[in-house]
């Protein structure tokens, strides 16, 4: 989701995220060969602040591929947080700074993470897809992101040693496929159009690859046909209206064990106070291109549906603004996968007001399947 829809007027008040030959959000001076671009020099006092180490009781030792980092993570409310500098210095991800948009870009391709610091806080996107809570944090002048972003979106995995407060990070064992972004962009007095959608390349089964790509494009084409219809109707209006906006984006959430899961978002604003957004989750078998159902993943447990509905009902009861009325999931529920978790979500207005956003709930795989089994045994 595009940041203008989330920040509104606050976006205009974004402060500089970095300056000079240093990167305040990253934590220390950058060398001349650094990919971080900047515009003014730093004051010694501020440099001292950003280099201030985390409090010992909250400090987390970080290792990547067995090598201990000089940088430290933080443990906040039971969640591990990683300094963005760790992504640059230890994971060796490229980082650039755009002084016009006040944005850091970390990584590349469909895994590009954008971090924008503004007067009211920090907002973040992966591949132009807005990721909300938990939001990135600025702690003592250094930007931290939750490790779950590194695991869920950037292609890594971690093992937590609670007694040593040690987080061991390594590359995730992902499917040998390539995901590329296709799209369409056009700006005019009538509308702003920015569409992005994923396409698969390099899958061992080419028929499955074609089936997956066609399934995604079918939904994109439906969105474009509706967009063109709305624009034609706008042309016939006698009264001028505000420009329309159409956007789509996606994020890859799971790409392991012969399964690919991703989440797409389609947004349209027809000149009103706010637009409407639709989300769709896709989970495919790379072996045959099948769009998987919950039965395909968790059917080994004959009671999974009853257990899942019970958990969701309890979670919804505590969700702010819940209208009531949930009786169980439909035959085609909205869901996607993340490492270790099933994510079930509901559309705007389905059970909550617009302002509540998309109610989304995590249920660990091991809560829904027999002990010692995996949802992916059939797909490897």
């Amino acid at each position: 989701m595009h940041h203008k829809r989330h920040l509104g007027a606050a976006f205009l008040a974004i402060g500089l995220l970095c300056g000079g030959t240093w990167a305040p959000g990253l934590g220390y001076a950058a060398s001349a060969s650094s990919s971080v671009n900047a515009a003014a020099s730093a004051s010694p006092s501020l440099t001292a602040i950003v280099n201030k180490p985390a409090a010992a009781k909250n400090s987390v030792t970080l290792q990547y591929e067995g090598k201990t980092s000089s940088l430290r993570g933080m443990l906040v409310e039971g969640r591990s947080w990683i300094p963005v500098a760790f992504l640059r210095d230890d994971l060796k991800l490229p980082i650039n700074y755009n002084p016009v948009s006040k944005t850091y870009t970390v990584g590349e391709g469909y895994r590009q993470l954008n971090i924008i610091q503004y007067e009211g806080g920090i907002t973040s996107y992966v591949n132009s897809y807005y990721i909300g809570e938990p939001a990135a944090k600025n702690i003592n002048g250094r930007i931290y992101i939750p490790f779950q972003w590194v695991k869920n979106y950037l292609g890594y995995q971690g093992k937590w040693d609670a007694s040593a407060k040690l987080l061991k990070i390594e590359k995730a064992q992902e499917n040998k496929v390539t995901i590329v972004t296709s799209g369409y962009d056009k700006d005019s007095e009538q509308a702003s159009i920015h569409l992005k959608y994923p396409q698969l390349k390099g899958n061992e089964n080419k028929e499955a690859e074609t089936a997956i790509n066609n399934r995604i494009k079918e939904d994109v084409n439906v969105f474009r046909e509706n967009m063109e219809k709305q624009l034609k109707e706008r042309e016939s209006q006698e009264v001028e209206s505000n420009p329309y906006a159409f956007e789509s984006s996606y994020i890859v959430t799971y790409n392991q064990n012969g399964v690919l899961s991703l989440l797409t978002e389609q947004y349209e604003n027809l000149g009103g106070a706010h637009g409407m957004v639709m989300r769709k989750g896709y989970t495919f078998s790379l072996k045959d291109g099948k769009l998987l159902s919950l039965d395909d993943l968790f059917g080994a447990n004959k009671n999974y549906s009853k257990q899942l509905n019970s958990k969701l009902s309890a979670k919804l009861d505590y969700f702010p603004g819940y209208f009531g009325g949930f009786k169980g999931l439909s035959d085609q529920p909205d869901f996607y996968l993340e490492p270790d978790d099933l994510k079930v979500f509901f559309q705007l207005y389905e059970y909550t007001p617009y302002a509540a956003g998309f109610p989304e709930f995590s249920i660990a795989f091991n809560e829904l399947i027999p002990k010692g089994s995996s949802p992916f045994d059939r797909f490897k």
Side-chain angles (χ1 to χ4, degrees):
M1 193 182 296
H2 195 278
H3 59 264
K4 290 182 181 178
R5 301 205 301 276
H6 291 275
L7 303 182
F11 180 74
L12 302 177
I14 292 175
L16 283 174
L17 186 56
C18 76
T21 57
W22 66 296
L26 302 184
Y28 63 87
S31 67
S33 61
S34 171
S35 61
V36 179
N37 301 316
S41 50
S43 67
S45 60
L46 186 53
T47 302
I49 291 174
V50 300
N51 282 313
K52 183 179 180 181
K57 66 177 181 179
N58 295 327
S59 182
V60 172
T61 300
L62 302 175
Q63 284 186 355
Y64 177 57
E65 303 290 0
K67 182 180 179 181
T68 300
S69 173
S70 61
L71 296 163
R72 309 284 285 186
M74 293 191 70
L75 192 64
V76 181
E77 296 178 350
R79 191 188 304 273
S80 295
W81 293 78
I82 308 297
V84 172
F86 177 82
L87 306 183
R88 177 190 63 191
D89 299 341
D90 294 87
L91 304 188
K92 304 302 181 183
L93 298 180
I95 295 184
N96 290 279
Y97 176 69
N98 185 326
V100 176
S101 62
K102 318 298 190 296
T103 302
Y104 273 118
T105 58
V106 183
E108 53 195 356
Y110 72 90
R111 284 186 169 138
Q112 187 176 89
L113 170 64
N114 293 328
I115 303 173
I116 307 170
Q117 183 169 315
Y118 63 104
E119 189 174 316
I122 302 175
T123 191
S124 305
Y125 303 83
V126 172
N127 191 35
S128 299
Y129 189 100
Y130 172 73
I131 48 178
E133 296 298 328
K137 296 179 181 292
N138 188 322
I139 303 174
N140 291 336
R142 176 177 292 181
I143 296 176
Y144 290 76
I145 64 172
F147 175 69
Q148 71 185 68
W149 290 5
V150 181
K151 181 179 72 170
N152 294 347
Y153 310 135
L154 302 184
Y156 296 85
Q157 59 190 22
K159 184 176 181 180
W160 172 244
D161 184 337
S163 61
K165 288 189 177 180
L166 169 65
L167 181 59
K168 299 178 180 180
I169 301 170
E170 59 186 17
K171 274 277 191 180
Q173 298 299 311
E174 297 192 309
N175 301 311
K176 294 180 179 179
V177 295
T178 300
I179 299 157
V180 297
T181 300
S182 294
Y184 173 72
D185 294 281
K186 182 180 180 180
D187 286 310
S188 67
E189 294 181 358
Q190 287 73 38
S192 172
I193 303 171
H194 300 282
L195 309 183
K196 288 185 176 182
Y197 61 93
Q199 292 287 269
L200 195 63
K201 288 186 177 181
N203 192 38
E204 184 175 337
N205 185 330
K206 294 303 178 184
E207 291 183 359
E209 178 180 298
T210 299
I212 291 170
N213 288 340
N214 287 344
R215 180 66 180 84
I216 294 170
K217 283 192 287 189
E218 285 174 9
D219 288 343
V220 174
N221 288 337
V222 169
F223 183 57
R224 286 193 65 170
E225 288 170 4
N226 176 69
M227 177 186 73
E228 291 167 359
K229 178 183 176 182
Q230 298 288 356
L231 289 174
K232 286 182 179 179
E233 292 179 357
R234 184 185 190 278
E235 290 177 358
S236 66
Q237 294 177 0
E238 295 182 1
V239 179
E240 285 291 324
S241 62
N242 293 327
Y244 289 179
F246 301 92
E247 298 177 14
S248 67
S249 58
Y250 75 94
I251 191 168
V252 176
T253 61
Y254 189 83
N255 185 22
Q256 301 178 45
N257 298 307
V259 171
L260 174 68
S261 191
L262 50 93
L263 188 62
T264 66
E265 197 167 78
Q266 296 177 339
Y267 167 83
E268 69 172 32
N269 188 325
L270 305 182
H274 62 73
M276 278 299 296
V277 188
M278 286 291 294
R279 283 184 179 174
K280 186 173 181 64
Y282 299 85
T283 299
F284 294 105
S285 165
L286 297 180
K287 183 181 294 187
D288 56 14
K290 181 182 179 181
L291 182 64
L292 300 176
S293 68
L294 291 178
D295 281 347
D296 293 322
L297 295 162
F298 304 105
N301 174 9
K302 296 181 179 180
N303 295 317
Y304 91 86
S305 181
K306 182 178 179 180
Q307 294 170 353
L308 180 56
N309 283 326
S310 177
K311 293 176 185 294
L312 291 171
S313 180
K315 291 174 181 288
L316 277 166
D317 282 340
Y318 286 95
F319 195 87
Y322 174 47
F323 296 148
F326 178 74
K327 303 298 182 183
L329 291 174
S330 67
D331 293 337
Q332 295 181 316
D334 292 315
F335 76 93
Y336 62 97
L337 305 180
E338 287 182 347
D340 306 321
D341 295 315
L342 165 68
K343 304 283 281 192
V344 177
F345 63 97
F346 300 98
Q347 299 296 332
L348 301 178
Y349 294 120
E350 190 172 359
Y351 292 110
T352 54
Y354 180 92
F358 293 87
E360 185 176 87
F361 305 103
S362 297
I363 297 91
F365 296 153
N366 59 19
E367 296 182 50
L368 299 173
I369 54 177
K371 187 176 180 180
S373 63
S374 165
F376 311 110
D377 289 337
R378 298 168 46 199
F379 312 111
K380 295 179 181 179

